[in-house]
Amino acid sequence: MRGKSIPIVLGMIIVLIAMLGFHKYGLHSSQSPVNMWITTADQSKLLHQEADLVWVKDNTPNNTTIVIDWEKEYQQIDGFGAAMTDSSAWLIANKLNSEQRSDLMNKLFDHKQGIGVSYLRLPMGATDFSLKSYTYDDVPEGQTDPNLHNFSIDYDKAYIIPTLRKAKDLNPDLKIMGSPWSAPAWMKMSDSLIKGSLNPDFYQAYADYFTKFVQAYAAEGLSIDAITPQNEPHFEPDGYPGMRMEPADQANFIKSHLGPAFEKAKLGTKIVIWDHNWDEPYFPIQILTDPEASKYIAGSAFHGYAGEVSSQQKVHDLFPNKDIYFTESSGGNWAPDFAGSLKWDMQNLIIGSTRYFAKTVLKWNLALDELNGPKNGGCPNCRGFVKIDQKTGAISYNPEYYSFGHASKFIRAGAYRIDSNTLGSGNIEDVAFRNPDGSEVLIAFNSAAERRKFKVQRGNKSFSYTLPAGAAATFVWTGEKRSTK
């Protein structure tokens, strides 16, 4: 009997060694396939699932190899998505029949039937894409309401909140960021929703306004993950709500009013600063240099209308313990070419912004109509992820739906970006992630003018693929699940 047990023990040792080898080198005993989806520049394939690829044993990288280092992690991802503007919610709720609405919501928020949008930016009141100008505490001209007796989110209850609830039902991981375009007119030096800055006499009232907003939405079953004190604080539009806010003003507002108000109310909602273009990184840097303000701040948010995405790196390097968010960029009729729009999004947002530490990547409107509205002033030719024809309810899907789908459909909330080298601009550009369930995702874009063959190596195995010019691809495979960071 003892003699028979020796080969059994040896066999168990061999199996154990093999299992350790699989873990060390990133192999899986099942040699699971690589699933992949592609979108081509000519639109012949739109998030189309291709045949699975197969790993082969290979540990010899070359100059066309993307090497995945799954043990080196960067920022945690909260999600990808767009803004649920008043216009977007109104169109979805009022210009579609129940079947059309269900189909659209599934294609936006469900991971299997659609692209699994996982993060939404919610304007706190009116923007240039609203049915009218309003805030949550409007009073007759000449009056004030410092105790916020008139505060109400009733406007949102008609169709914005129901649409958000449906989105949350379809994707329970969905998170929401609140951003105001203007404080109520009576709080401002201009006494108007148009232009002007916040009156210091009403800093505390405005802090209470944010607190009530978060609490009111929580009462509706919708938690607010984060807020920004002001959308685009260095832009005062002529024809729709906006408000100027300088770095010193935002710092004072946060450290003396907003931060303490959230702390007193025991709110877990994060405070995120700037929320404007890449070209002025000094704004968040100046605020974060103030330790009394910084202690209340989770991170900085950026828009993509001016400057370069690399500005995110400047802020991250100075304040590596603060998060980076990308919160707005719009497609529009100024970029009608599908291939060009796909390329810009992939290079600057899906790959570029996440490589520069963004934990969210968001577009502007989720949905607009056939006339790029409804509009409340402002951008005349912006477009959303989708277009809804008000007369027929017909839905069409814009380039942004597909570029963002290459990330949102596959990268789950709580994922971490992991290390991967990129072959560079004019070649294959890429970014990689590990999901909470252990699956790994590689997004690649061919920015060259011709087809490019490349290899992806993970440990001592690899696969190869040839990507058409201007095409985006997402590759998904099984990794090893980690229970903790």
Side-chain angles (χ1 to χ4, degrees), residues 101-114:
R101 186 180 308 110
S102 178
D103 181 60
L104 174 60
M105 293 295 284
N106 276 299
K107 286 181 177 175
L108 286 171
F109 296 100
D110 184 82
H111 282 288
K112 292 183 179 180
Q113 298 181 59

Side-chain angles (χ1 to χ4, degrees), residues 163-203:
T163 306
L164 290 170
R165 282 180 179 152
K166 178 61 176 175
K168 184 80 171 176
D169 288 343
L170 290 167
N171 188 349
D173 291 331
L174 181 73
K175 293 183 178 180
I176 300 170
M177 170 184 281
S179 298
W181 266 238
S182 175
W186 56 268
M187 291 188 188
K188 297 172 66 178
M189 300 300 290
S190 63
D191 291 317
S192 170
L193 296 183
I194 310 299
K195 295 190 173 184
S197 58
L198 187 63
N199 186 334
D201 292 343
F202 295 116
Y203 273 23

Side-chain angles (χ1 to χ4, degrees), residues 79-201:
F80 299 82
M84 183 69 81
T85 58
D86 184 25
S87 296
S88 295
W90 181 80
L91 287 167
I92 293 170
N94 294 288
K95 294 299 175 180
L96 300 175
N97 63 38
S98 59
E99 184 178 350
Q100 290 169 326
R101 186 180 308 110
S102 178
D103 181 60
L104 174 60
M105 293 295 284
N106 276 299
K107 286 181 177 175
L108 286 171
F109 296 100
D110 184 82
H111 282 288
K112 292 183 179 180
Q113 298 181 59
I115 63 170
V117 165
S118 51
Y119 208 102
L120 289 174
R121 187 161 171 248
L122 173 67
M124 295 170 58
T127 71
D128 48 333
F129 288 94
S130 302
L131 301 189
K132 68 174 187 176
S133 292
Y134 71 97
T135 73
Y136 299 130
D137 197 326
D138 296 320
V139 299
E141 187 174 353
Q143 296 183 21
T144 62
D145 184 25
N147 295 316
L148 303 182
H149 294 305
N150 293 306
F151 181 92
S152 172
I153 62 166
D154 283 351
Y155 185 99
D156 293 11
K157 291 180 181 179
Y159 47 84
I160 296 174
I161 287 174
T163 306
L164 290 170
R165 282 180 179 152
K166 178 61 176 175
K168 184 80 171 176
D169 288 343
L170 290 167
N171 188 349
D173 291 331
L174 181 73
K175 293 183 178 180
I176 300 170
M177 170 184 281
S179 298
W181 266 238
S182 175
W186 56 268
M187 291 188 188
K188 297 172 66 178
M189 300 300 290
S190 63
D191 291 317
S192 170
L193 296 183
I194 310 299
K195 295 190 173 184
S197 58
L198 187 63
N199 186 334
D201 292 343

Side-chain angles (χ1 to χ4, degrees), residues 26-301:
L27 295 173
H28 330 116
S29 58
S30 63
Q31 285 293 297
S32 61
V34 178
N35 309 131
M36 74 152 298
W37 289 256
I38 188 172
T39 295
T40 55
D42 64 4
Q43 304 180 64
S44 59
K45 295 181 179 180
L46 297 170
L47 266 177
H48 182 267
Q49 186 167 9
E50 300 282 276
D52 290 346
L53 303 174
V54 179
W55 295 103
V56 297
K57 189 173 182 180
D58 177 15
N59 58 2
T60 55
N62 55 43
N63 60 3
T64 63
T65 301
I66 297 168
V67 179
I68 306 294
D69 184 349
W70 66 95
E71 293 186 330
K72 189 171 184 180
E73 295 177 337
Y74 299 97
Q75 79 274 19
Q76 190 172 32
I77 301 300
D78 279 346
F80 299 82
M84 183 69 81
T85 58
D86 184 25
S87 296
S88 295
W90 181 80
L91 287 167
I92 293 170
N94 294 288
K95 294 299 175 180
L96 300 175
N97 63 38
S98 59
E99 184 178 350
Q100 290 169 326
R101 186 180 308 110
S102 178
D103 181 60
L104 174 60
M105 293 295 284
N106 276 299
K107 286 181 177 175
L108 286 171
F109 296 100
D110 184 82
H111 282 288
K112 292 183 179 180
Q113 298 181 59
I115 63 170
V117 165
S118 51
Y119 208 102
L120 289 174
R121 187 161 171 248
L122 173 67
M124 295 170 58
T127 71
D128 48 333
F129 288 94
S130 302
L131 301 189
K132 68 174 187 176
S133 292
Y134 71 97
T135 73
Y136 299 130
D137 197 326
D138 296 320
V139 299
E141 187 174 353
Q143 296 183 21
T144 62
D145 184 25
N147 295 316
L148 303 182
H149 294 305
N150 293 306
F151 181 92
S152 172
I153 62 166
D154 283 351
Y155 185 99
D156 293 11
K157 291 180 181 179
Y159 47 84
I160 296 174
I161 287 174
T163 306
L164 290 170
R165 282 180 179 152
K166 178 61 176 175
K168 184 80 171 176
D169 288 343
L170 290 167
N171 188 349
D173 291 331
L174 181 73
K175 293 183 178 180
I176 300 170
M177 170 184 281
S179 298
W181 266 238
S182 175
W186 56 268
M187 291 188 188
K188 297 172 66 178
M189 300 300 290
S190 63
D191 291 317
S192 170
L193 296 183
I194 310 299
K195 295 190 173 184
S197 58
L198 187 63
N199 186 334
D201 292 343
F202 295 116
Y203 273 23
Q204 188 58 50
Y206 200 35
D208 295 339
Y209 180 91
F210 277 93
T211 302
K212 283 183 173 288
F213 163 75
V214 173
Q215 292 171 333
Y217 260 78
E220 297 295 323
L222 295 166
S223 63
I224 301 299
D225 176 64
I227 61 90
T228 64
Q230 176 58 39
N231 169 71
E232 299 189 344
H234 272 180
F235 178 51
E236 294 177 83
D238 293 322
Y240 62 94
M243 188 170 78
R244 184 85 178 180
M245 187 177 274
E246 298 299 340
D249 299 326
Q250 194 162 114
N252 288 332
F253 174 61
I254 291 169
K255 70 182 179 182
S256 299
H257 301 279
L258 184 60
F262 276 17
E263 193 171 59
K264 182 179 178 180
K266 298 181 180 180
L267 300 181
T269 299
K270 305 177 188 73
I271 298 172
V272 179
I273 58 173
W274 185 217
D275 207 8
H276 207 169
N277 288 328
W278 288 321
D279 62 344
E280 296 185 65
Y282 74 86
F283 189 110
I285 290 170
Q286 184 174 327
I287 296 175
L288 291 171
T289 302
D290 183 335
E292 292 304 307
S294 182
K295 68 181 182 181
Y296 293 114
I297 295 168
S300 307

